[in-house]
Amino acid sequence: MNKTVYLGMIGDILHPGLTNIIKEGAKYGDVMIGLFTDKAIATHRRLPYMTYEQRKEVIENIKGVACVVPQDEWSYVPNLRQYKPDYIIHGDDWKEGSEQELRAEVFKVMEELGGKVIEIPYTKGINSSSLDKEIKAIGTTPDVRLKSLRRLIAAKPIVRIMEVHDGLSGLIVENIEVKNGIKTNHFDGMWSSSLTDSTSKGKPDIEAVDLTTRMQDLNNILECTTKPIVYDGDTGGKPEHFVFTVRTLERNGISAIIIEDKIGLKKNSLFGTDAIQTQDTIEGFCHKIKMGKEAQVTKDFMVIARCESLIAGKSMEDALERTFAYVEAGADGIMIHSKEKSGNDIKEFCLRFREKHPMVPLIVVPTTYNQIKEEELHSWGVNVVIYANHMLRAAYPAMMKCAETILENERSLEANPICMPIKEILELIPGTK
């Protein structure tokens, strides 16, 4: 019987370095590819462009590959213990950087199993990270972007969404990453907020801007980013209008729309209970959800129902009754909203909702209860966290400070420390260099 050589691989972008390591592994025995699933990848890196099934089909047909098995964790240990290979092969690049801990773990387990670790020189000049940047610069397609939100919800404990209101804020959310141990934290998608869209134009947030105007601004973000976008649809308008909105968004590659169960002229709920409009009837809002779901062409687009019961001062029972009905009507997820600073009502809602619907995505906007970390929200059953207006809120005081500094000093020299060099800003924009 041939010996088994284990090789962990993402397999999203193939290059000579990967085929070289497969050839080397085949010298020692049958190469078993541990193909990282979306779940294994998403908590550490960007979601792959191809699905697991697509990547598996490609890898299975590479010469020298004996079989492909799923690797559900970033750590190799669970698969090494399950399959007990004679060897594991890896490039020697993991001797440095954040993967040193992973390397030490592998050596320890292979020693326990009586196996060996084969390290080969890393292929210089070609790597997945640089190729990933090149592909990202090319962009994406509406179809790929549309599908990515559902894939992320299925793969990650928490999907992290940040508000954007123009192309530049979109580029920041697209590119920013922060190392956190062996993980790399980043934003998974973008929130197209009606509040920040109107506020950035100096207009009130009253749902008076039509879809055509919103799409003109949204296209600026779509053209320079690749991550999924969740659209703030306010009340969704009349059911007949909502059908048109769903079709337009889906056609443009938007992943989801969130609509709230209020009726009448929009008034922002930040200004107290007097600003809360009457909630739609359960039957009326369910009808709107059903019409939206019937209008969409693909199974990938999501219609998410936002419940305002807790904001409006109604009972927990009212919120649960409504959201259970919304799911029955076809809603792909529930956003529960609250201004309670402790977050206790959100916790109670999530735990009770999960008793009936363990799999339906739950979305929260923890602006008022922002002391609660994502890990705790996940323990309540939350799938998606939206940071709904922070990019605009951060931009305004920075611009005010810059303007005041110039006025105070009658020149711009003193403003330099709080201004990013224009060259660095331009480098964010694809095609500038």
Side-chain angles (χ1 to χ4, degrees), residues 92-103:
D92 63 3
D93 54 311
W94 65 347
K95 291 181 178 179
E96 299 177 356
S98 60
E99 293 198 339
Q100 291 181 78
E101 186 178 329
L102 194 66
R103 178 178 181 267

Side-chain angles (χ1 to χ4, degrees), residues 20-31:
N20 178 54
I21 199 169
I22 291 171
K23 286 179 185 177
E24 287 297 314
K27 294 176 182 178
Y28 295 86
D30 293 334
V31 176

Side-chain angles (χ1 to χ4, degrees), residues 159-429:
V159 176
R160 191 182 291 119
I161 305 289
M162 172 62 92
E163 168 264 322
V164 297
H165 52 274
D166 57 18
L168 187 59
S169 59
L171 282 170
I172 293 171
V173 173
E174 176 81 8
N175 293 298
I176 194 163
E177 294 181 344
V178 175
K179 289 285 185 183
N180 186 2
I182 63 171
K183 292 194 305 180
T184 299
N185 286 344
H186 54 260
F187 293 106
D188 301 298
M190 305 174 193
W191 169 240
S192 173
S193 161
S194 64
L195 184 153
T196 59
D197 179 78
S198 57
T199 305
S200 66
K201 296 181 177 67
K203 296 179 180 179
D205 180 33
I206 55 173
E207 199 173 6
V209 180
D210 63 27
L211 176 63
T212 303
T213 304
R214 285 280 302 275
M215 280 307 305
Q216 288 172 352
D217 296 310
L218 197 50
N219 278 331
N220 293 331
I221 300 167
L222 288 166
E223 288 173 357
C224 63
T225 64
T226 65
K227 293 182 178 181
I229 296 177
V230 180
Y231 183 88
D232 179 5
D234 292 323
T235 67
K238 294 181 179 179
E240 296 78 12
H241 297 165
F242 184 51
V243 165
F244 174 76
T245 300
V246 166
R247 289 175 178 165
T248 300
L249 295 175
E250 184 183 28
R251 185 171 63 250
N252 283 276
I254 306 302
S255 294
I257 184 171
I258 297 181
I259 55 171
E260 55 198 68
D261 57 359
K262 295 191 288 191
I263 56 175
L265 180 65
K266 179 178 179 180
K267 297 179 182 178
N268 197 288
S269 57
L270 292 171
F271 293 99
T273 54
D274 291 341
I276 302 294
Q277 304 118 284
T278 304
Q279 278 183 287
D280 200 350
T281 63
I282 294 177
E283 294 77 12
F285 196 64
C286 285
H287 174 63
K288 188 179 295 184
I289 292 169
K290 289 176 182 177
M291 288 192 69
K293 292 303 296 177
E294 290 171 2
Q296 68 186 70
V297 177
T298 71
K299 295 180 180 179
D300 302 302
F301 187 79
M302 300 178 72
V303 175
I304 297 169
R306 167 175 156 178
C307 180
E308 294 290 283
S309 294
L310 302 182
I311 288 279
K314 294 186 178 179
S315 68
M316 184 66 64
E317 302 306 322
D318 181 79
L320 289 166
E321 179 188 4
R322 283 178 169 272
T323 52
F324 292 160
Y326 299 161
V327 172
E328 187 68 25
D332 297 294
I334 296 295
M335 176 193 278
I336 185 65
H337 212 29
S338 172
K339 291 193 297 180
E340 170 60 52
K341 292 185 178 180
S342 69
N344 290 336
D345 56 347
I346 294 290
K347 180 179 181 180
E348 180 185 348
F349 173 88
C350 291
L351 294 176
R352 292 181 64 182
F353 181 88
R354 277 285 171 252
E355 291 175 4
K356 184 175 178 66
H357 292 294
M359 301 304 293
V360 174
L362 276 176
I363 297 92
V364 298
V365 184
T367 306
T368 51
Y369 49 99
N370 58 8
Q371 76 280 7
I372 299 172
K373 290 204 167 188
E374 293 165 356
E375 185 178 8
E376 185 174 355
L377 293 172
H378 171 61
S379 73
W380 300 352
V382 172
N383 301 97
V384 180
V385 175
I386 297 178
Y387 298 98
N389 45 44
H390 295 77
M391 294 291 277
L392 185 68
R393 287 166 54 197
Y396 183 79
M399 290 189 290
M400 282 286 291
K401 180 64 177 176
C402 177
E404 289 174 353
T405 300
I406 290 173
L407 289 175
E408 287 170 358
N409 294 282
E410 300 180 3
R411 63 180 186 183
S412 64
L413 175 66
E414 287 75 12
N416 281 350
I418 59 173
C419 290
M420 185 178 184
I422 190 66
K423 183 175 181 291
E424 292 182 25
I425 293 178
L426 293 176
E427 286 173 349
L428 285 173
I429 301 170

